[in-house]
Amino acid sequence: MSGHPQRLRGVSLFTPFSLVLGLLASIAGIVLLKRFIYGLGDVSNLSAGYPWGLWVTWDLIIGSSLGCGGFAMAMLIYVFNQGRYHPLMRPALVSSLFGYVLAGSAAIIDMGRWWQFYNLLLPWHWNFSSVMLETGLCVSAYTLLLFVENSPMVLERFGLEKWRQRIARVMWLVISIGILLPFMHQSSLGSILLVVGHKLSPLYLTPWLPLLFVSSVLAMGYALVVFEATVVTKSFRLASEHHMLARLSSVIGWLLAGWLLLRWADLLWRDALGDALELTPLAASFWSENALALFAAVGFLSPAARRDEVWTFLAALALLLFAIVYRFNAYLVGYTPAVAGYTYFPSVQEILVTLGMIAFEILGYLVVIKLFPVLHAPVRQPAHA
C-alpha cells in the first residue's frame, strides 16, 4: 500500500458509465431550469398538506447524512486517536463535500422564493428561536469547512506546497469545528420533527429524536466508508482495504447496537408500538427498517462475518438502507397532514431531479479520484487476480 495519497492512474476519465451519469445529471438540469422559471408547482406534487417531499427528504436530509463519512472518520481518527484509519480519510472527505454541496443545493431548489435565500446571511433577518436557522447556518458553515479540508489534495496536485503548509498550520482548528458542526445540525434535523408534533406517528415522535438522528448518522457515515471503499477497490481492481474495514466494522456494530437499544427502549417505555401492529404502509416500512438494522448489527458484530469481505459489504449496505428508510419514515411515511384530503407521491420530474443529483454526485467523485491524490491504494491489480 502506498504511504501517501495518489491519484488513480491508467483509467479513462470518460467511460460509458460516466456518460450515462452525465446524461442523468443533464436531464435533471433541464427539469431544474423549468422549476426555477415556472415554480415548484409546475414540476412537483407538493401541496399545502405536504410542503416537503422527495427533494427535502432525500436530497437534503438523507443527502447530508450520506455526507457524514468525513465527520465520522474525523471523530474516530482525531478524537479517539485511531490514526491507523487515516488512509480512509480523504475519500470520506470527498464524498462528504459532494453530499453537503448537493444538500445545500436541494435546500435552495425546494425554497418557494429561492431568490431570497441570501437572507440567511443577514443577521438582522434571523429568527433566533428557529431550529431551521441553526440548521441552515451550520450546514452552510460546514460545507465551507469541507472545501478547506479538501484543499490539500488540490494544492498537492498543482505543486503549491507553500500554500498546503499554510493550510496545514490551521487544519487542527478547521477539523475541530468540522467535528462540532455536524453534531449541531444533524441533531437539529431530528429537532425539526419535534415541531411537527401530533402530525408525526408516535413510532417516530420522541424527545430522543436529536440523539437518534446524530448517533445514526455516525453509523451511517462509517457504513458509507465501508461501502465506498469496497466498491472503488473492486471496480478499479485496487488492493483490498478489508483489513481496515473489518476493524472499523466492530465500531459500527456496537454503535448500531446501542442505537437499537435506545430506540426500542424508548418505544416500549412510551408504549408507542400501536401503529406498528396495523396493516399499513407505515407498519410495513417500520418493520423493514428494523429488519435491515438488525441484519446490519448482527453482520458487523459477528467476527466470522467481519472477516468476510462480502458479508461486511452486505452489512454496510443494509445499514445504509436502514438509515435511509428511517429518515423517509420520519419525514414522509409517518407524517399525516393536520387537514384531511392531502396525499403525496413524487412526480416523475421530482424523481428525475433526484436521480440526476445522485448521478452528479457519483460522477463528481469518480472525476476527483482520477484527477487528484485521494486514494492510498491506487495500484491496479492484474485482471486475473
Side-chain angles (χ1 to χ4, degrees):
M1 178 184 296
S2 168
H4 194 77
Q6 297 177 34
R7 66 192 179 97
L8 188 59
R9 300 173 188 273
V11 179
S12 174
L13 197 58
F14 300 102
T15 64
F17 182 57
S18 64
L19 291 177
V20 171
L21 294 174
L23 177 62
L24 287 171
S26 301
I27 292 172
I30 294 170
V31 177
L32 285 176
L33 184 62
K34 191 180 170 191
R35 174 263 174 273
F36 285 119
I37 294 174
Y38 298 107
L40 276 172
D42 194 73
V43 298
S44 76
N45 284 340
L46 297 177
S47 62
Y50 282 93
W52 289 352
L54 177 65
W55 289 346
V56 164
T57 308
W58 176 273
D59 301 341
L60 179 57
I61 307 299
I62 297 173
S64 66
S65 304
L66 289 171
C68 278
F71 157 59
M73 293 308 298
M75 278 281 294
L76 192 64
I77 294 170
Y78 299 110
V79 176
F80 295 104
N81 201 27
Q82 298 294 314
R84 58 187 173 180
Y85 295 111
H86 206 275
L88 302 172
M89 191 70 218
R90 277 199 181 181
L93 281 175
V94 172
S95 61
S96 292
L97 178 61
F98 280 105
Y100 270 86
V101 166
L102 292 181
S105 304
I108 296 175
I109 292 168
D110 207 73
M111 208 175 283
R113 292 186 292 178
W114 57 271
W115 56 89
Q116 297 283 333
F117 76 93
Y118 65 88
N119 283 306
L120 179 65
L121 305 175
L122 305 178
W124 51 91
H125 286 167
W126 288 356
N127 174 3
F128 289 97
S129 61
S130 170
V131 68
M132 291 182 69
L133 170 67
E134 185 258 331
T135 306
L137 289 175
C138 282
V139 169
S140 303
Y142 184 55
T143 305
L144 289 176
L145 288 182
L146 281 170
F147 276 103
V148 179
E149 288 184 286
N150 277 286
S151 63
M153 70 177 181
V154 180
L155 298 173
E156 284 175 22
R157 178 71 175 85
F158 294 108
L160 301 171
E161 184 58 24
K162 285 186 178 177
W163 277 101
R164 192 194 68 78
Q165 291 178 0
R166 287 172 184 166
I167 297 267
R169 290 191 196 107
V170 296
M171 194 58 84
W172 63 273
L173 180 61
V174 174
I175 292 171
S176 301
I177 301 174
I179 290 173
L180 173 66
L181 290 176
F183 268 114
M184 295 171 67
H185 66 254
Q186 288 296 338
S187 59
S188 294
L189 290 177
S191 302
I192 287 174
L193 290 174
L194 295 175
V195 181
V196 173
H198 68 279
K199 289 179 278 188
L200 188 60
S201 164
L203 288 173
Y204 295 93
L205 182 61
T206 165
W208 293 101
L209 270 168
L211 180 58
L212 289 171
F213 262 67
V214 75
S215 54
S216 65
V217 91
L218 273 171
M220 202 172 177
Y222 293 131
L224 186 71
V225 169
V226 173
F227 178 87
E228 184 181 273
T230 307
V231 170
V232 169
T233 53
K234 292 297 178 188
S235 300
F236 295 106
R237 302 197 307 274
L238 307 179
S240 173
E241 296 178 309
H242 184 67
H243 60 288
M244 275 189 294
L245 303 181
R247 287 198 300 264
L248 182 61
S249 298
S250 177
V251 176
I252 306 171
W254 286 113
L255 186 59
L256 183 57
W259 190 93
L260 280 170
L261 185 63
L262 172 63
R263 172 93 163 106
W264 275 90
D266 172 62
L267 285 170
L268 295 172
W269 179 262
R270 293 187 295 109
D271 192 19
L273 282 171
D275 285 353
L277 304 177
E278 299 177 356
L279 292 175
T280 61
L282 174 61
S285 197
F286 169 81
W287 289 114
S288 301
E289 161 202 321
N290 282 276
L292 287 165
L294 186 61
F295 176 87
V298 171
F300 283 129
L301 289 175
S302 164
R306 286 203 304 271
R307 285 193 294 271
D308 189 288
E309 200 166 1
V310 174
W311 277 107
T312 305
F313 175 77
L314 289 176
L317 181 60
L319 198 161
L320 290 174
L321 291 175
F322 141 71
I324 289 170
V325 175
Y326 174 72
R327 281 159 175 74
F328 260 116
N329 288 343
Y331 268 84
L332 270 183
V333 185
Y335 171 82
T336 304
V339 179
Y342 288 103
T343 59
Y344 172 77
F345 191 82
S347 69
V348 172
Q349 294 178 98
E350 285 178 87
I351 295 171
L352 285 175
V353 168
T354 295
L355 288 176
M357 293 184 79
I358 296 170
F360 179 80
E361 188 171 358
I362 297 172
L363 181 61
Y365 181 86
L366 291 174
V367 169
V368 168
I369 65 171
K370 292 175 184 176
L371 293 181
F372 297 96
V374 175
L375 304 175
H376 272 251
V379 180
R380 304 190 73 192
Q381 306 298 307
H384 54 78

